[in-house]
Amino acid sequence: IVTAGSVGWARASVRQARAEASAARRDLEHSLAMARDTLAIIRSADRIRHAGISLGRQRGGMVLFADDRRHRWNVVIYGVRAPHPDEVLQFWFITERGMVRGVQVPSPRAGPAFLTMSMPPAGGRVMGAALTLEAASARAPEPSGPMLVHLML
């Protein structure tokens, strides 16, 4: 009985280890695909723009790599403090018809925030990018918080 129980426990342990290894492999494959996508945009960028960011005493910046053929951008935001719990960093597209809300920037912790995104379907031709500090509850279609970056292409 002890041997049968040990064999059953070992089989269950092996199944669990295989499932965990398979999940880890899928995560790594996903991370690798994202890194390749990011590098492809950086390598084929038609335009690269930089803007400095001042937030209190802290200095940082935003670098935008624009791939005009694929209509995708890679954006790096660095040196910016993490927003307070009731604030978010909000990325905006500047279009010919006005501002179009992009993504909320993940809170920068120990390093830069990396964003890879396609152009928005609304708003017409994209002419630039902006970064604001918004209230976490803000959902307005236009920026209402302080403008940290206003970058035209």
Side-chain angles (χ1 to χ4, degrees):
I1 295 177
V2 171
T3 303
S6 297
V7 169
W9 174 83
R11 284 184 181 158
S13 295
V14 167
R15 272 194 301 273
Q16 172 138 2
R18 284 183 179 163
E20 290 171 0
S22 181
R25 180 182 175 159
R26 282 192 304 275
D27 289 347
L28 287 171
E29 287 171 347
H30 180 72
S31 294
L32 178 60
M34 289 182 356
R36 285 181 173 159
D37 184 44
T38 297
L39 290 173
I41 293 170
I42 290 172
R43 214 177 21 240
S44 65
D46 298 298
R47 291 176 283 169
I48 301 170
R49 298 290 185 268
H50 177 269
I53 298 173
S54 295
L55 191 55
R57 292 182 294 178
Q58 211 159 359
R59 304 285 182 261
M62 182 171 87
V63 182
L64 189 149
F65 299 87
D67 181 338
D68 295 331
R69 290 176 297 268
R70 293 185 195 115
H71 304 286
R72 292 175 54 83
W73 285 357
N74 183 285
V75 179
V76 180
I77 299 167
Y78 65 92
V80 178
R81 71 161 171 81
H84 297 297
D86 59 340
E87 301 172 322
V88 295
L89 289 172
Q90 180 66 51
F91 184 86
W92 301 86
F93 293 97
I94 302 170
T95 73
E96 61 189 355
R97 293 189 205 121
M99 301 287 260
V100 174
R101 183 181 286 272
V103 299
Q104 283 186 6
V105 178
S107 287
R109 298 259 188 270
F114 295 93
L115 310 170
T116 301
M117 60 197 118
S118 298
M119 298 300 96
R125 186 171 61 92
V126 176
M127 303 180 319
L131 184 69
T132 61
L133 187 62
E134 301 286 334
S137 60
R139 297 290 176 254
E142 293 284 329
S144 58
M147 186 75 59
L148 304 178
V149 172
H150 189 274
L151 182 64
M152 299 305 289
L153 294 178

